[in-house]
Amino acid sequence: MEKSKPYVILSAAISIDGKIATRTGNSKLSSTEDFIRLHKLRTKVDGILIGKNTMMKDNPLLTVRHARGKNPVRIILDSKGEISSKSKILKTSKKVPTIIATSKQITKFNLQKLRKFPVEVIVTGDKSVNIKSLLKKLAEKNIKTILVEGGGTVNWEFVKQNIFDELIITISPFLIGGKNAISFVQGDGFDKISKSPNLQLKSIKRLKNYLVLNYLKV
Ligand SMILES: NC(=O)c1ccc[n+]([C@@H]2O[C@H](COP(=O)([O-])OP(=O)(O)OC[C@H]3O[C@@H](n4cnc5c(N)ncnc54)[C@H](OP(=O)(O)O)[C@@H]3O)[C@@H](O)[C@H]2O)c1
């Protein structure tokens, strides 16, 4: 039977104090070995999803480079379609399949800008992208597994709406601090620990000075 949503894995490299970037947006928290691990994982999923701020701050390619294998579909949550024409994502959209997920907030101007690129534009949601509806549409396109690579605002939505299945987190040997530094999960947070999803530790892998933790939601 066809599933109504893809299998969702949340993925990040975090400091010991749970940050995914410094207050200035510096987010290079992975080691070379960890990048290789991540890129191998990318070859096994159908899609990689990120939020607009990560796209703007990091200008990532989201392709497979440190391993051999196919590129997953890149999915960007960008309610107003503000992604820059000069971004690596749009510049490489002829070669790498790309979906820009937007909402009703997208302007005609931005829609026309996106139409100049070979990307698929999905419009769902009033103010921001309706993630549940997006996941349903992705499942209909035979996208069965998605790696969510942040940032914290997007991670919170997946946690709050209880629409993830697995977590793979690299704990990097850094202490960053800063009340304005982005945490792995942002948003308002839960008021009680009992509201946290139940997570079961499936495996721990040591990559030199880094730890890769794999949790399943139970
Ligand atoms: N260490 C790591 O592994 C790692 C990984 C990823 C990112 N990062 C870092 O994380 C930082 C960015 O995180 P962030 O929390 O500021 O932003 P983010 O999660 O990357 O992006 C959030 C934005 O996505 C858009 N969006 C559209 N629909 C959404 C929805 N339904 N739910 C949530 N967001 C939606 C919103 O902007 P619009 O309303 O304008 O569309 C929202 O403000 C960067 O500094 C980046 O370097 C680190």
Side-chain angles (χ1 to χ4, degrees):
M1 203 180 76
E2 199 179 274
K3 289 252 174 88
S4 62
K5 82 163 195 59
Y7 186 85
V8 174
I9 306 169
L10 302 187
S11 161
I14 71 172
S15 63
I16 294 170
D17 55 327
K19 306 289 187 190
I20 57 170
T22 66
R23 64 183 156 80
T24 58
N26 188 195
S27 64
K28 300 274 175 283
L29 282 155
S30 282
S31 61
T32 307
E33 289 83 4
D34 192 50
F35 266 125
I36 294 169
R37 176 203 60 79
L38 175 67
H39 282 231
K40 277 185 189 155
L41 177 60
R42 283 182 177 178
T43 67
K44 292 183 188 135
V45 298
D46 301 315
I48 305 181
L49 182 149
I50 62 163
K52 187 186 86 178
N53 297 352
T54 297
M55 190 264 306
M56 285 189 156
K57 286 255 178 196
D58 299 353
N59 192 18
L61 261 174
L62 300 182
T63 54
V64 174
R65 301 182 305 284
H66 301 280
R68 268 196 205 165
K70 66 161 183 49
N71 286 318
V73 178
R74 303 174 299 185
I75 304 147
I76 316 296
L77 301 190
D78 180 8
S79 308
K80 303 177 210 78
E82 290 175 334
I83 184 169
S84 163
S85 300
K86 292 187 181 129
S87 64
K88 287 184 187 166
I89 298 276
L90 287 187
K91 279 189 154 180
T92 55
S93 55
K94 263 191 198 153
K95 289 187 188 146
V96 189
T98 307
I99 294 173
I100 310 293
T102 68
S103 73
K104 287 180 188 160
Q105 298 297 315
I106 190 167
T107 58
K108 268 193 186 155
F109 179 84
N110 283 344
L111 200 52
Q112 275 166 5
K113 169 190 73 186
L114 291 176
R115 296 263 182 256
K116 292 185 189 135
F117 294 90
V119 299
E120 183 170 350
V121 179
I122 293 179
V123 184
T124 176
D126 294 330
K127 292 209 167 117
S128 59
V129 177
N130 181 329
I131 300 180
K132 277 191 182 158
S133 139
L134 172 68
L135 292 181
K136 198 161 172 271
K137 289 178 200 292
L138 296 176
E140 284 160 12
K141 292 180 190 296
N142 216 17
I143 294 177
K144 295 191 176 95
T145 44
I146 290 186
L147 196 59
V148 174
E149 292 196 25
T153 307
V154 165
N155 291 342
W156 166 245
E157 282 305 315
F158 277 86
V159 172
K160 186 179 73 176
Q161 297 186 43
N162 197 18
I163 40 177
F164 73 99
D165 302 282
E166 190 173 335
L167 286 183
I168 303 179
I169 288 168
T170 299
I171 306 218
S172 309
F174 304 107
L175 291 167
I176 290 174
K179 59 182 185 298
N180 294 323
I182 307 277
S183 297
F184 171 54
V185 181
Q186 288 280 116
D188 291 335
F190 296 120
D191 56 352
K192 291 188 178 122
I193 294 173
S194 59
K195 290 191 183 157
S196 158
N198 285 328
L199 301 168
Q200 190 177 59
L201 187 58
K202 191 177 144 201
S203 71
I204 305 175
K205 192 174 174 182
R206 183 174 175 167
L207 294 175
K208 292 184 183 164
N209 213 8
Y210 294 67
L211 274 184
V212 185
L213 305 183
N214 188 355
Y215 288 92
L216 293 184
K217 202 182 71 187
V218 288

